[in-house]
Amino acid sequence: MATHVIVMGVAGSGKSTVAELLAARLGLRFAEADRFHPPANIAKMERGVPLDDADRLPWLTDLAAWIRDREAEGASTVVACSALKRRYRDILRTGAPEVFFAHLAGTEEVIRDRLAARSGHFFPPALLSSQFRDLEPLQPDEHGITLDVAEPPERLVDRLAALLAAER
């Protein structure tokens, strides 16, 4: 059975960095969820308008289909995706029998500082508060772990790689 890891969290939490490093370390297929957004979603965010559930549904469905296709190929994956709400994660879980979530968590102040320091991304820092409002942390019955973004990405990858190895 393939392994599917979704590195989740609000914008600026380091999802893409950690997910890419983890995929490279473990030799797994990587997907950046932002690349699955339709142009209308990106345009909406660029205008400073938060996405709603209706905007996210086709995006999440496409991501779940991508995971399902990799599962059918027997290919393990790492996906960088916000997956803010439980119902979003439920949709993503339809892609494979076992999906593991790694929630990169930090305070709004820490994340806001990170967003202010990055450039070249369509997500405006003004939308961060809406993501924190939408965020539903992992529940005890969800397969995953919450990690502190204060740790360096390499340390987070070390922890995730060890945890995934122990689960096999």
Side-chain angles (χ1 to χ4, degrees):
M1 180 165 49
T3 300
H4 304 283
V5 179
I6 297 178
V7 180
M8 62 169 279
V10 298
S13 62
K15 297 180 300 290
S16 297
T17 299
V18 170
E20 284 186 275
L21 288 171
L22 182 64
R25 166 96 53 96
L26 301 179
L28 306 180
R29 297 275 303 269
F30 170 72
E32 170 55 65
D34 286 345
R35 294 195 180 109
F36 288 73
H37 274 299
N41 282 9
I42 293 171
K44 191 172 182 178
M45 287 184 279
E46 286 176 335
R47 291 191 315 272
V49 179
L51 298 179
D52 59 27
D53 289 353
D55 297 320
R56 289 188 177 107
L57 181 60
W59 171 66
L60 292 164
T61 302
D62 286 349
L63 281 167
W66 184 86
I67 293 168
R68 187 175 309 106
D69 290 347
R70 302 303 75 77
E71 174 72 13
E73 296 168 358
S76 295
T77 66
V78 179
V79 178
C81 177
S82 54
L84 298 174
K85 295 182 182 182
R86 169 72 183 247
R87 66 180 160 268
Y88 302 166
R89 296 188 295 271
D90 289 344
I91 292 168
L92 294 168
R93 274 189 276 274
T94 67
E98 197 61 43
V99 175
F100 182 89
F101 290 90
H103 177 195
L104 303 185
T107 66
E108 190 166 347
E109 180 180 39
V110 166
I111 303 296
R112 189 170 304 286
D113 289 346
R114 286 179 169 204
L115 283 176
R118 85 176 180 184
S119 62
H121 195 279
F122 64 83
F123 188 89
L127 290 181
L128 183 61
S129 293
S130 72
Q131 289 215 326
F132 271 96
R133 275 193 306 276
D134 285 349
L135 178 63
E136 296 172 0
L138 290 174
Q139 299 301 302
D141 66 327
E142 291 185 276
H143 189 211
I145 188 171
T146 299
L147 300 167
D148 187 346
V149 299
E151 290 189 58
E154 295 78 10
R155 174 72 178 120
L156 296 174
V157 170
D158 289 345
R159 291 185 61 194
L160 284 169
L163 180 63
L164 293 168
E167 286 197 355
R168 289 188 176 175

